[in-house]
Amino acid sequence: IFWYIRLYYTTMGVFQQGKVIKTFTTKSGKTIVLRYPRWEDLDELTQYINLLSKEDTYITFSGEVITKEEEAKYLGTVLSDMEFENKVVLYACIDEQLVGVCDIYRDVQHKKRSRHVGIFGLTIKKEYRGDGIGYELAKTTIDEAKKMIPGLKLITLQCYGPNTPALNLYKKLGFQEGGRTPKSVFFHGEYVDAVNMFLPILVS
């Protein structure tokens, strides 16, 4: 099944897999390439998400092991959604090593009523946090989403209340707090708030 999915997505014409969007230097002098995903990232992506899951940090996964087959289905969906202008995903890479992922996907949960809303997500590998990668990756992904997701008018996200570094980053990017759902997330043995944030997209 892998070769069939790969053949399908590499023959579609509009979305260019692996396209480099930006290169920059971090605070510590590392060279980071921001690019679109490609099918060849499957093994690296599987390893990446399992490292985050094992860390049990501020994401949905908390120790679950994701198989290559499960990640292949996810990656296939990502490539399809990008092809059809419903999602933007950027990878932050050092050489070929994946160190960060940011995505914005169209909210289709409520059909036409929410198609103007993009849902934001960001992860950075533990040893690369605090080096400015998250800000550049997020800012560039937002800029790409404005161009690549037609009709986008609002970007939303949800953050765990105790995740102060992330909350500060999102505020720096222009997100505003829209409210909190008290104790709606079970995290590390306690119930914590979910912080809802939003970023209006200005139409020039």
Side-chain angles (χ1 to χ4, degrees), residues 42-111:
L42 178 58
D43 288 337
E44 182 72 17
L45 187 61
T46 304
Q47 181 184 41
Y48 176 85
I49 189 59
N50 278 309
L51 281 173
L52 289 178
S53 180
K54 185 178 180 180
E55 183 188 349
D56 191 14
T57 186
Y58 296 106
I59 63 171
T60 302
F61 295 108
S62 55
E64 299 87 349
V65 175
I66 296 86
T67 67
K68 185 175 179 178
E69 289 76 12
E70 290 171 326
E71 201 63 17
K73 292 178 182 178
Y74 164 77
L75 182 55
T77 300
V78 166
L79 298 176
S80 175
D81 286 344
M82 292 188 71
E83 178 73 27
F84 291 104
E85 301 180 324
N86 287 319
K87 190 168 194 171
V88 166
V89 182
L90 288 185
Y91 290 171
C93 301
I94 297 178
D95 296 325
E96 292 301 314
Q97 182 187 5
L98 182 61
V99 301
V101 177
C102 188
D103 65 355
I104 297 172
Y105 62 92
R106 192 190 297 279
D107 182 0
V108 296
Q109 182 178 0
H110 304 291
K111 311 299 182 184

Side-chain angles (χ1 to χ4, degrees), residues 22-34 92-97 99 128 131 133:
K22 185 177 185 178
T23 301
F24 70 96
T25 303
T26 69
K27 298 173 184 176
S28 65
K30 298 180 180 69
T31 299
I32 303 292
V33 174
L34 303 182
C93 301
I94 297 178
D95 296 325
E96 292 301 314
Q97 182 187 5
V99 301
Y128 295 95
D131 202 16
I133 297 172

